[in-house]
C-alpha cells in the first residue's frame, strides 16, 4: 500500500480523527503526485469539509456517477471499498503524511532550482 493510499484509507475509515490529525500537517491534494489518487484525495477532502459521508456505500447510493470518475483497471467504487476496509493504514497517517509532504517539497524545489539556474 502506498502512502497516498494509506492517507485515503485513514480519511475514509476515520474521517473525524484523521481530519484533526491533518490540521498539524496541512496535507493538501497538491502534495500528491498528479493522477487518480490526487483526485480521490481531493474528492474525499471536499466531502469531509462539507460534512458529508465518505462511506463508499453511501456515496454510491446518493451519487454513483461521482465514483465512476475514478474508474481505472477496476471500478472507482471498488477502489473506495478497498480503502475503506484496509486496516493496514490504521495508525500510520502521520508517518505517511510526512513522507508525502517531504516528496512534495522535493518536487517543488527541483523546479525552483531549474528556475534559478536559468536566470
Amino acid at each position: 500500500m502506498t502512502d497516498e493510499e494509506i492517507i485515503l484509507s485513514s480519511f475514509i475509515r476515520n474521517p473525524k480523527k484523521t481530519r484533526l490529525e491533518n490540521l498539524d500537517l496541512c496535507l493538501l491534494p497538491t502534495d500528491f503526485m498528479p493522477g487518480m489518487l490526487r483526485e480521490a484525495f481531493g474528492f474525499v477532502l471536499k466531502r469531509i469539509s462539507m460534512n458529508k459521508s465518505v462511506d463508499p456505500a453511501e456515496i454510491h447510493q446518493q451519487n454513483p456517477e461521482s465514483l465512476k470518475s475514478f474508474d481505472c483497471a477496476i471500478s472507482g467504487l471498488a477502489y473506495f471499498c478497498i480503502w475503506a476496509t484496509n486496516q493496514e493504514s490504521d495508525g500510520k497517517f502521520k508517518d505517511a503524511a510526512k513522507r508525502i509532504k517531504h516528496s512534495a517539497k522535493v518536487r517543488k524545489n527541483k523546479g525552483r532550482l531549474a528556475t534559478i539556474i536559468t536566470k
Side-chain angles (χ1 to χ4, degrees), residues 26-100:
C26 292
L27 191 63
L28 301 171
T30 55
D31 294 328
F32 282 54
M33 290 289 289
M36 192 263 298
L37 293 174
R38 176 190 272 190
E39 292 173 22
F41 181 64
F43 175 77
V44 167
L45 208 55
K46 186 177 180 181
R47 287 189 65 87
I48 289 172
S49 68
M50 296 186 314
N51 289 326
K52 291 186 176 181
S53 173
V54 289
D55 179 17
E58 286 185 39
I59 296 171
H60 184 68
Q61 286 175 346
Q62 294 168 359
N63 187 3
E65 295 299 316
S66 63
L67 293 178
K68 285 190 179 184
S69 65
F70 303 107
D71 288 355
C72 291
I74 61 174
S75 74
L77 175 61
Y79 276 122
F80 275 78
C81 289
I82 290 168
W83 297 326
T85 58
N86 189 354
Q87 295 177 354
E88 287 180 41
S89 66
D90 293 350
K92 296 181 180 178
F93 173 79
K94 285 189 178 181
D95 291 335
K98 287 177 184 176
R99 286 191 295 269
I100 290 172

Side-chain angles (χ1 to χ4, degrees), residues 101-117:
K101 287 296 261 189
H102 175 73
S103 296
K105 285 181 184 176
V106 168
R107 282 192 311 274
K108 289 175 186 171
N109 286 337
K110 284 184 181 177
R112 288 184 192 151
L113 181 59
T115 303
I116 291 169
I117 290 172

